[in-house]
Amino acid sequence: MSHRTEAEDAMRVTLQQWARDDLPVLERANTPEMTSHLGGPESPDDLLQRHERYLRLGDAGLARMFRIDVDGEPAGGIGWWQVDHEGVPAYETGWNVFPEQQGKGVASAALREVIRRVAALGDRTLLVAYPGVDNAPSNALCRRAGFTHTGADTAPWRGGRITFNVWELDLSPLDLAGRRPDHDERFDADDLDRSRWWPHYLPHWSSRESSAARWETATTSGATPQTPGSMPRTSGGAGLTLRIDADTAPWSPEYDGEVRVSHLQTGQFSGPEGSAIGQHRFRDGLVVKQAQPEQRLWLAHFGVIEARLRAIRHADAMVAFWPIGFEDRPEDSGEICICEIFGSELDDGGGWVGVGVKPQHDRRLTADFEKVRVDGDLTRFHDYAVDWSPERIRFFIDGRWVKTVAQRIDYPVQLMLDVYELPNGSGRRDAAALPLRFEVERVRTFPLNATAG
């Protein structure tokens, strides 16, 4: 897997394995400015020994050091090496970025790539970092990357002593052993379970009729009473299919143009007609077009949220699973994007999956969203999950850790499950591709593990 954010798409940050001719990178980093948190510059002999150590440990497989390049030009160094952290086998990471490249997201991109590679190794599931307590940028970088601050310590260093913070990143896979789901939806009844699912997409910004889902369950085909055009099920097997058909109209032309959607959600909160009170205020100027009944159906608050689903490989399609705050208080509106998959970003080798947190209107949160490259056919079923504790959210694909967001979301969320047909540049729909069919095998939630926090 590889990772990217929108900011990093504007520059090309790559890691090149440390080589014999990379000593000048160490020399450029050996200035009073860049070593102020490390006790000052090293002597030329010490620097040469460090360079040789990088090469020797790399050859032995005990460490991996890299030159950071930005658009092909050296910008610093980063790597990882084996350590014993409080009796636990771990990898430690450290980095430097030249002054002219600082503040551009270079260190973030490089650290994200190191985290990806360490996670892919799978032999050690703990990554640690020990920046000096007065090194504000590096400590902030650890926090943004999802590390947990576990304390501070002092140790001998370069003839003196250094006081450092201890940061830990848990890369372990999702472990559901011994955990029982409180909800396990298989969509295997003759109808949707209306005690869980509200088959409309944000109907307060449109209407129940215009936002009604087209759907099929494992044993029947169906549609909401307001929606014509139910089709016989063709895919077989267990689970749910959400459809966008040839006669599916845009759900809200005034606010969302030609976007079409088929969607289920597990809650509904909005104000009276004519008000601006409603869930997922996705643009300015929204006004409630039709009053809706309040629905508190299946709301989660901490624990594991998981769905097994398959993407659609078509340039106009996007599928997503994105719990959002119930939003009975306007600030309780954050989004946990468990997966967001554009058909245009799938190829023969795999595809990109969007994961992370979007603040929406919760000012207590900051955006922490990225796209993770996943190898394999994403039009087959895969598991997408989060393990959500009071202090952080860990993201998983097929049980493998892919991201941690160290932010606190402490309010109930409702589940949002949907397929979109997005307008393309031609202005015409691809009739031959319709209906778009989004298949979901199951959705589960598990209570918070007693050891989480």
Side-chain angles (χ1 to χ4, degrees), residues 37 95 102-103 107-108 131-132 134-144:
H37 302 294
W95 56 85
Q102 293 175 10
S108 293
D134 56 349
N135 189 343
S138 287
N139 283 287
L141 178 57
C142 288
R143 186 178 297 106
R144 290 196 304 273

Side-chain angles (χ1 to χ4, degrees), residues 318-341:
M318 191 265 273
V319 302
F321 183 45
W322 46 292
I324 63 169
F326 186 71
E327 210 167 337
D328 49 346
R329 299 191 307 170
E331 65 272 23
D332 293 350
S333 56
E335 174 187 331
I336 303 171
C337 185
I338 297 177
C339 66
E340 177 184 280
I341 310 172

Side-chain angles (χ1 to χ4, degrees), residues 48 121 198 205 220 258-259 266 323 397 422 452:
L48 182 58
L121 289 175
W198 175 241
W205 306 132
T220 188
E258 290 297 306
V259 173
T266 63
I397 299 176
L422 305 173

Side-chain angles (χ1 to χ4, degrees), residues 339-355:
C339 66
E340 177 184 280
I341 310 172
F342 288 85
S344 60
E345 296 184 335
L346 304 184
D347 53 48
D348 291 342
W352 294 92
V353 179
V355 298

Side-chain angles (χ1 to χ4, degrees), residues 61 64 80 91 114-124 171:
R64 285 289 182 269
W80 71 82
Y91 284 115
V114 160
I115 291 170
R116 181 194 72 80
R117 297 190 187 193
V118 170
L121 289 175
D123 58 338
R124 300 186 177 207
L171 305 175

